[in-house]
Amino acid sequence: MVGQTLFLSLLLLRGSLAFPQRETSQRSSSKRVLSRASESKFEWTALGDSYASGVGSVDYVDGRRCLRYDQAYPVLLDKEDLAPGQEHDFHNVVCSGAEADEIEKYQFYDTDQTFGQPNWQYYPRPKFGQPTMATLHVGGDDIDFRGLLQYCVVEIFAGNDPIQACKDQRDKSWKLLKSTDLVDKIDSVIKKTVDKGRSGPIGDKFKLYLVSYAEFFNSEDPACNDVTFARTANPNPDNNPHNKMTTDLRKDLNAMSIALNKAISDAVDKNKNNGVKFIDLQKGKKFGDDDDPLKGHRFCEKGIKEPDQDNDQLYFWHYPYNAPDNDYTKLVDSTAQDVVNGMSSQDIQSKWATSEDFWNDVFGKISEDQFNGKADSNHTDTQVAGWDSIGYRARVFHPQVRFHTYIKDQILDAWKQDRDIDGTGSGGGDNNDNSDPRCQGNQVQLSDCQQQHYPSDMPDFSGPQQPICNKVDTGDNPFLKINADKAQQAAATYCANLKSSKIVLNAQNTQPGKSGIQPDAAENGGDAALSVLFDIKACPTDKKTTSIDFSTYDQTKCVENFYGIFNQICVIDSTWGSYDKDYTLMGGVFLNDCAMWGLVGQPHS
């Protein structure tokens, strides 16, 4: 009954809703956007580490040790129609091996760098630009992910006891994962990105998308228990002791990915009210879940004889065991041997805090003249041939093109939703010029600051629509301002209940029977109430889908419909006369995926 009264009150109080502009005024706004599109470009920036640089996928482009490749997900994303009718100005500042503090040092330049930073091995360093949106991949190098590959997977300088070397490295990486410094470092990069993004023409409409990592293994199938990924033992065994991909090792490495993603998500939560979103590539799932989106695409999947470099379902690169060394790789290997000079793996791990520190010392011994001197008649461009040879080996456990494509699609979906809500795909900043007033009260900022109302008759909805925001602080309705954190918690709980109850909504069964109530989530001791109703007009325009099945509906998208969408547009800022930082959501209703989703602040009952 609560769910019914919630929506009846919404529909009866049409005059108490702030309604995003439509019809004639919306169309005229679109014309203004299109005319400006011919005068400006859509500007965006990709930041991050080797997962973003696309190591090994497929053709090396530039960056030297930054190892930027042409099929990396940022490059694929730039080929999409991010801003209809506009060309793109893309700043690909990503760099392989970049820890959080290195991203802050070297990926925020105001101008393109004409020499290597911090040395000749990193060039070019593009400028950050004045982007409307940005992507960020950070954290893997801060837990010494490369060290895990070095000592537990391919076993480079793992010594006579690679099992102990792997154990020591796992202990080191877990210590880094459990440190509070990890979230703080990621949070610092986020804040710097947001501050710099918002300093440009787009202002506080700037969007930032942080991308997760993934669990690498099917950790249950026993077939991998006797398999090693060591480079000297493949494709032919060398009869030496090696780390085997046991279920215990696979579970531990998967657990590290989960812990790292939790740290990234926690850092995003600290900035969620500033246009920052977490792109969870596993969509809240983990290995073993029936609806795991990466199911069948990991190492050690059932029926696969590892290491299988020809598995066309695998999302990650194996080490290229069959690839012969060339003059470039031999130069790096011989220099590394000189640096190690017979040290044990334990001594190496003790002397260098991370694997990246070790390789920095190795490459520091190689001059540009030495590197250029390895050119042959087939590769006259030494910087391309040399770094591509290195990237080809460094790609192990990094995304293959099919995974980069998947990552691109997840970011694109999130961006399109944000772009369509607040018009940030128009380039060159807000749709208002600087002389326009900032939207206040119950106004909704789209092309202009205007207070909108529900029309006398329900509009002819067709497909997803922008949210209709509740009017609060008017004195003539029961709507209360809502705490954003508690609303998000309520959305997650209610979505989980809908899923576990296997609720299906359609023309015959229009409501789930119960709404979600979060006590003390609204001002004055009020509640946040969530409910969902079937609405055929909110189904896709092609009407191929005419129901919503919560047993299969994506949990993240469910939370987005109940909470995230309102936290983007139905929000209260410091320009309100009654602004309270603890209650910043108006709530409202949102039509999407065959349903009307509602979030309301109401008196406690």
Side-chain angles (χ1 to χ4, degrees), residues 427-499:
D430 294 344
N431 289 339
N432 301 329
D433 60 37
N434 293 332
S435 63
D436 287 339
R438 186 178 179 87
C439 291
Q440 300 182 19
N442 302 302
Q443 297 173 329
V444 176
Q445 183 167 342
L446 291 173
S447 61
D448 301 294
C449 288
Q450 295 187 15
Q451 184 164 311
Q452 300 295 320
H453 301 279
Y454 238 84
S456 58
D457 295 316
M458 286 291 289
D460 182 17
F461 288 112
S462 182
Q465 300 292 322
Q466 294 177 355
I468 304 166
C469 306
N470 295 340
K471 286 176 61 178
V472 297
D473 288 345
T474 62
D476 59 358
N477 66 74
F479 298 137
L480 304 176
K481 297 192 289 286
I482 306 167
N483 178 277
D485 290 338
K486 292 182 178 179
Q488 185 179 28
Q489 178 184 346
T493 300
Y494 190 38
C495 287
N497 289 339
L498 292 170
K499 187 177 188 67

Side-chain angles (χ1 to χ4, degrees), residues 152-458:
C152 296
V153 180
V154 295
E155 296 183 7
I156 299 173
F157 297 122
N160 296 324
D161 191 354
I163 289 83
Q164 183 62 45
C166 176
K167 181 182 181 303
D168 293 342
Q169 178 61 47
R170 288 157 64 188
D171 290 343
K172 179 188 292 187
S173 290
W174 272 118
K175 184 177 180 180
L176 293 169
L177 272 164
K178 293 177 180 179
S179 171
T180 57
D181 289 346
L182 180 59
V183 174
D184 291 343
K185 287 178 179 179
I186 298 171
D187 174 52
S188 179
V189 181
I190 293 173
K191 284 181 166 55
K192 182 163 184 174
T193 308
V194 170
D195 287 346
K196 194 163 182 67
R198 286 187 165 192
S199 69
I202 197 65
D204 60 9
K205 286 188 177 182
F206 174 76
K207 306 297 182 192
L208 175 62
Y209 303 95
L210 268 84
V211 185
S212 77
Y213 296 83
E215 295 173 83
F216 294 102
F217 295 99
N218 174 325
S219 57
E220 295 179 352
D221 192 81
C224 256
N225 286 347
D226 294 322
V227 171
T228 180
F229 285 1
R231 68 170 183 168
T232 61
N234 288 291
N236 301 310
D238 61 1
N239 299 318
N240 290 322
H242 293 289
N243 286 288
K244 301 296 178 64
M245 293 294 110
T246 63
T247 54
D248 286 344
L249 177 57
R250 284 179 273 153
K251 286 178 180 178
D252 195 45
L253 294 177
N254 277 358
M256 289 186 189
S257 296
I258 294 170
L260 176 55
N261 288 339
K262 177 63 165 57
I264 299 169
S265 178
D266 287 348
V268 169
D269 282 346
K270 291 185 175 185
N271 300 273
K272 61 187 177 184
N273 293 326
N274 293 320
V276 182
K277 283 189 175 181
F278 178 55
I279 305 297
D280 183 1
L281 299 179
Q282 299 192 172
K283 299 183 179 181
K285 311 301 176 184
K286 61 182 184 299
F287 168 75
D289 292 345
D290 289 338
D291 47 359
D292 168 18
L294 303 189
K295 186 176 182 179
H297 299 295
R298 298 182 172 93
F299 294 113
C300 297
E301 295 286 9
K302 188 174 182 178
I304 300 298
K305 186 176 181 181
E306 297 286 15
D308 185 354
Q309 299 181 82
D310 298 320
N311 179 3
D312 62 6
Q313 296 300 308
L314 184 61
Y315 270 0
F316 309 98
W317 290 111
H318 271 293
Y319 187 85
Y321 301 108
N322 299 318
D325 284 331
N326 60 27
D327 287 341
Y328 302 104
T329 57
K330 289 177 182 177
L331 172 63
V332 175
D333 286 345
S334 64
T335 305
Q337 292 287 354
D338 291 342
V339 170
V340 168
N341 194 25
M343 295 170 63
S344 68
S345 61
Q346 286 73 25
D347 288 340
I348 295 172
Q349 289 170 305
S350 176
K351 180 174 181 178
W352 287 278
T354 67
S355 178
E356 191 66 23
D357 290 339
F358 167 75
W359 288 105
N360 284 341
D361 274 5
V362 170
F363 278 98
K365 305 291 185 183
I366 301 173
S367 71
E368 188 167 11
D369 287 341
Q370 280 181 288
F371 199 79
N372 290 343
K374 300 303 177 182
D376 59 40
S377 59
N378 295 321
H379 297 97
T380 55
D381 186 341
T382 59
Q383 295 300 334
V384 170
W387 297 116
D388 190 31
S389 299
I390 292 165
Y392 188 65
R393 296 201 302 182
R395 69 185 187 175
V396 59
F397 273 55
H398 285 76
Q400 292 199 43
V401 177
R402 59 182 68 96
F403 194 23
H404 280 293
T405 302
Y406 173 86
I407 297 171
K408 177 264 295 182
D409 288 341
Q410 309 315 303
I411 300 171
L412 182 62
D413 286 347
W415 162 245
K416 282 184 175 180
Q417 188 172 53
D418 288 341
R419 179 192 69 189
D420 294 345
I421 289 170
D422 64 11
T424 47
S426 59
D430 294 344
N431 289 339
N432 301 329
D433 60 37
N434 293 332
S435 63
D436 287 339
R438 186 178 179 87
C439 291
Q440 300 182 19
N442 302 302
Q443 297 173 329
V444 176
Q445 183 167 342
L446 291 173
S447 61
D448 301 294
C449 288
Q450 295 187 15
Q451 184 164 311
Q452 300 295 320
H453 301 279
Y454 238 84
S456 58
D457 295 316
M458 286 291 289

